[in-house]
Amino acid sequence: MTAELVRGQNHPLSQARLEIRVSAGKPIVAGVTLSDEHGKVHGVEWVAHPGAPTLPGLEVSRQAAADHRLAVDLDAVPEAVHRVSVLLALPTGVGGPTRFGGLAAPFLAVTGLDGSEVANYTITGLEAESAVVALELYRRQGAWKVRAVGQGYAGGLADLLADQGLPQAPQLAGSINDAVAQGLARSVQAPRTDGDRTRHAATPTLGADQGGAATQGAVPPPASPYGTQAPGAPGQPTSPYGAQAPGTPGQPPASPYDPPAAADPPTGAHQGPTTGGTVNYSHPRRQTSAPPPPPPTAPPAQPGQPAQPVAGDATGWSMDERLYNQVWGMFEDLARTMAAYRSAVDFADSRMEKELDQALSDPRSRIGGQSDAARETARARHTDLVDQARAALDRDLAQLAAEADVVEPALPAAFARWDNPVWHGHRVPMEIPMALRLGDLHLPEAPQLRIPMLVRLPLERGLWIDSGRADSLDGSYHDSHELKRLAMETAVAHAARLLAVYPAGEFTVHVIDPAGSGGQALVPLVQTGVLAGPPALGAAGVSDVLARLTQRVDLVQMAVRAGAPDSLPPGFDTSEQLLIVNDFPHGFDDRAVTQLRYLADEGPAVGVHLMMVADREEASAYGPLLDPLWRSLLRLTPVPDDHLADPWVGHAWTYEPALVPPGSQVLQRVLSQLAAARTKYT
């Protein structure tokens, strides 16, 4: 279960031996500082960097590289150390980027030695900064946790180290830059694969004696960023993790900032005429640890025509993963092309205003017809610029629409709408899918182009179906009772989808409905018998369900922290748990509210998830006490609403819930099938 961290969020670490993987797309410097309980670094000997890459329990890369793997053994870290900070910085004086705002957002993943991902963090919002504290591992009551920091410094390494209390910060920063400059020739850019939307982690190509096919003319993998030598292979750097890096004697290494040999446009970038460099559409979190099987290839395009879209043309080990990454790519493509269009329109507006101001500021132009001619010329230029931007937008939207027409029918049940024919052939799965569809997203300039809103499974945060009053975007009016009914139907549709995509017996749903107001919407779940028990009614029912789930979270946490997950009581239900709460805060006393907040904060890490159906105004009596609860949940609405914003370009996306079509029996059939499978399973 991977925790996708945001800035300031922490996550417990159950393993002492870890690996921190860094990917930035361009060569950067990675280092580590050790500090005491006050966050102070006591000397240069407490800093691991390319010039001094090892400390007790730590090893960092010996040079700048696009990808890094930092080895960490928390048991070997000195007792005086309470904080291990991971630093990233841009090399200076080598002709590369000078600020992180010019790079793709750096991505970090904390993994176990087996490669299983514990937590990851994408550092967004960097602009002029050239050094950043990315993550920190810290002790808290004898246990280690990881926190996403993302604190940047425009003054570079010197300012960063000085902020951590190191007196020799300028001298150490200079020595680090010198060490990096000497070894930078061995670093390489992250490889790019033709027809692939994503960045790959650098991995060696398997030869014929390693289980791989010996391909004549195959491109060798990039040199290791660690620069150590393997026994028996003088002069060839190897990774400390056992992967040999290639080298060709007598040939100088390429500069990491040289352009690629062939300027391949990124897949997802549209192939119309362009006037500048290609745009990098890669998403920092869409990565694989090794090159996947080749994706399907599109039929050759006719001259002058864009390539025909193909479902599953992104990277991934399976078709589901490829489709997930392709949907992400479509989302990014739409976001960026819409940002370009809006920027062009804003430029045209500002240019027209400037030209009109200039025309009117000259008294001579107000005499005769000069001012009228200037206004007409300014408006004509404005219209021409807007028309050009709209033509480019329409071209991109047409290609995205063609891709959506191909991708939507190919989606698996977990990613598909309820009206997709895939549900008619649905069978209870044997494994958990990687993601789940919660609805559709679109932008006002292209309402017909819908992008599936997919969230990773298991859920990393709870869901909040907002039943409060909202202005419908389509102009329709819903009173409070109608909105509450629609909100509960939305919650039932989401819960049914979760039940349908998990293996039998691997997902359990509890319902708290203190006043019984959600009885009509809950009929499909109750009649098919897929709930863990009847919906809890009244204050006593609320107290009983919350007490059982709180005790479950406590037991699992204790077992995980003790490193003994097999010590849970016999017969303990290990399935994922979902609690649906309707009409909050009706039936909740102060103790129940505290337990609910505890489940929202601690539950997702141990498989207990929360789905609130509530109007925030009805809980306003609690004041700011519940603000952390609302912020911890992903807000969804039962009617279309433009409350979701992406972190890249800041668009306000309109969300539409994934509801069952009126009159359809697909929900009843899927739940009945699940109930039969559970009977067979038990």
Side-chain angles (χ1 to χ4, degrees):
M1 186 183 304
T2 303
E4 296 184 359
L5 304 180
V6 296
R7 183 170 298 172
Q9 187 178 0
N10 60 53
H11 186 73
L13 297 174
S14 59
Q15 306 175 55
R17 301 184 66 187
L18 302 165
E19 188 175 73
I20 299 176
R21 303 181 180 182
V22 182
S23 179
K26 290 283 188 180
I28 62 172
V29 182
V32 171
T33 61
L34 306 180
S35 52
D36 58 18
E37 63 272 18
H38 304 296
K40 182 177 181 181
V41 179
H42 286 268
V44 295
E45 66 277 6
W46 283 39
V47 182
H49 55 85
T54 59
L55 288 177
L58 296 168
E59 182 178 0
V60 303
S61 305
R62 300 174 182 269
Q63 63 185 56
D67 298 281
H68 294 268
R69 292 190 176 190
L70 315 182
V72 179
D73 185 355
L74 296 174
D75 288 340
V77 172
E79 288 293 330
V81 174
H82 287 258
R83 189 178 302 173
V84 178
S85 301
V86 178
L87 322 175
L88 305 179
L90 295 174
T92 60
V94 294
T98 59
R99 61 187 189 93
F100 275 107
L103 303 179
F107 172 80
L108 295 94
V110 181
T111 71
L113 295 185
D114 58 353
S116 59
E117 203 168 285
V118 178
N120 62 46
Y121 174 42
T122 302
I123 310 176
T124 58
L126 297 178
E127 290 295 339
E129 296 87 346
S130 59
V132 60
V133 179
L135 293 174
E136 65 178 18
L137 315 179
Y138 64 98
R139 296 186 202 257
R140 180 62 56 86
Q141 298 178 348
W144 285 91
K145 293 186 176 183
V146 58
R147 176 187 290 125
V149 180
Q151 176 63 54
Y153 295 83
L157 272 175
D159 284 5
L160 185 154
L161 295 171
D163 192 46
Q164 296 195 0
L166 184 65
Q168 309 92 333
Q171 295 85 346
L172 180 58
S175 66
I176 293 175
N177 289 327
D178 290 343
V180 170
Q182 294 175 9
L184 191 57
R186 294 193 300 270
S187 63
V188 294
Q189 278 188 312
R192 297 174 64 241
T193 303
D194 199 21
D196 185 8
R197 293 179 183 269
T198 69
R199 287 186 283 113
H200 296 279
T203 53
T205 303
L206 296 181
D209 59 337
Q210 297 172 298
T215 305
Q216 185 176 2
V219 178
S224 164
Y226 292 91
T228 56
Q229 292 187 0
Q236 293 190 6
T238 63
S239 165
Y241 297 95
Q244 183 176 351
T248 303
Q251 293 186 1
S255 167
Y257 297 107
D258 286 343
D264 299 327
T267 301
H270 307 295
Q271 306 302 314
T274 58
T275 57
T278 58
V279 179
N280 180 9
Y281 286 94
S282 63
H283 187 276
R285 293 209 317 250
R286 282 192 285 122
Q287 304 179 33
T288 54
S289 58
T297 56
Q302 297 296 325
Q305 297 295 325
Q308 294 298 316
V310 174
D313 73 340
T315 190
W317 290 99
S318 64
M319 179 56 75
D320 287 2
E321 186 176 358
R322 293 175 189 168
L323 289 169
Y324 172 83
N325 291 335
Q326 187 172 12
V327 169
W328 256 115
M330 294 166 58
F331 174 82
E332 293 169 0
D333 290 352
L334 179 56
R336 297 183 197 279
T337 193
M338 196 62 68
Y341 170 72
R342 292 178 179 178
S343 177
V345 172
D346 289 343
F347 171 76
D349 292 341
S350 63
R351 177 175 174 174
M352 182 178 68
E353 291 178 3
K354 182 179 179 181
E355 291 177 347
L356 292 176
D357 290 342
Q358 289 176 346
L360 296 176
S361 64
D362 186 356
R364 293 172 299 180
S365 66
R366 294 196 291 267
I367 301 174
Q370 294 183 14
S371 61
D372 294 338
R375 283 194 292 268
E376 290 300 325
T377 301
R379 293 192 182 101
R381 289 175 179 171
H382 174 270
T383 301
D384 184 56
L385 287 173
V386 172
D387 289 345
Q388 290 181 31
R390 186 69 209 191
L393 175 65
D394 290 342
R395 182 192 67 234
D396 292 350
L397 292 180
Q399 187 161 348
L400 280 171
E403 187 173 9
D405 291 341
V406 171
V407 170
E408 189 69 44
L411 294 177
F415 301 177
R417 290 194 294 255
W418 283 109
D419 58 358
N420 193 308
V422 70
W423 284 106
H424 296 288
H426 176 67
R427 296 291 182 268
V428 178
M430 299 300 294
E431 59 182 18
I432 302 173
M434 69 178 301
L436 183 83
R437 187 174 191 156
L438 292 181
D440 292 335
L441 299 172
H442 68 269
L443 292 171
E445 291 89 345
Q448 76 285 355
L449 182 57
R450 308 299 174 92
I451 305 296
M453 179 181 174
L454 305 179
V455 296
R456 293 296 295 265
L457 291 180
L459 295 173
E460 298 291 347
R461 59 191 299 198
L463 305 177
W464 167 27
I465 315 299
D466 191 354
S467 60
R469 297 181 63 85
D471 296 329
S472 177
L473 294 179
D474 59 6
S476 59
Y477 174 78
H478 300 277
D479 61 24
S480 59
H481 297 291
E482 178 71 5
L483 276 175
K484 289 182 178 180
R485 181 187 65 80
L486 290 174
M488 198 59 195
E489 290 180 355
T490 303
V492 169
H494 290 327
R497 183 182 287 266
L498 283 163
L499 285 165
V501 301
Y502 269 77
E506 293 294 323
F507 198 84
T508 304
V509 177
H510 310 264
V511 176
I512 290 179
D513 188 19
S517 60
Q520 184 63 34
L522 290 168
V523 166
L525 299 178
V526 174
Q527 286 187 347
T528 54
V530 295
L531 295 178
L537 303 174
V542 171
S543 177
D544 177 62
V545 173
L546 290 177
R548 285 189 283 111
L549 290 179
T550 301
Q551 183 184 35
R552 174 191 176 86
V553 171
D554 290 339
L555 286 173
V556 177
Q557 280 187 339
M558 287 188 292
V560 171
R561 288 171 180 170
D566 296 335
S567 63
L568 293 168
F572 186 85
D573 182 10
T574 58
S575 66
E576 299 274 323
Q577 308 285 312
L578 174 68
L579 172 61
I580 302 177
V581 178
N582 187 32
D583 267 354
F584 177 80
H586 183 81
F588 281 73
D589 55 18
D590 290 345
R591 176 180 173 82
V593 170
T594 302
Q595 290 175 320
L596 192 68
R597 285 188 55 188
Y598 177 73
L599 292 178
D601 292 339
E602 305 293 336
V606 293
V608 178
H609 312 285
L610 186 62
M611 184 185 293
M612 299 276 290
V613 182
D615 180 358
R616 186 170 182 173
E617 291 184 2
E618 293 182 358
S620 59
Y622 288 94
L625 177 67
L626 290 181
D627 286 350
L629 172 64
W630 304 119
R631 287 196 298 266
S632 69
L633 304 175
L634 174 61
R635 177 176 175 253
L636 304 175
T637 54
V639 294
D641 189 76
D642 59 351
H643 65 282
L644 294 176
D646 65 73
W648 299 285
V649 290
H651 293 323
W653 292 80
T654 298
Y655 165 79
E656 289 191 18
L659 299 177
V660 180
S664 174
Q665 298 299 314
V666 63
L667 185 65
Q668 190 77 18
R669 192 187 69 80
V670 168
L671 292 177
S672 299
Q673 185 184 72
L674 173 64
R678 281 187 172 182
T679 302
K680 182 179 180 180
Y681 173 78
T682 55

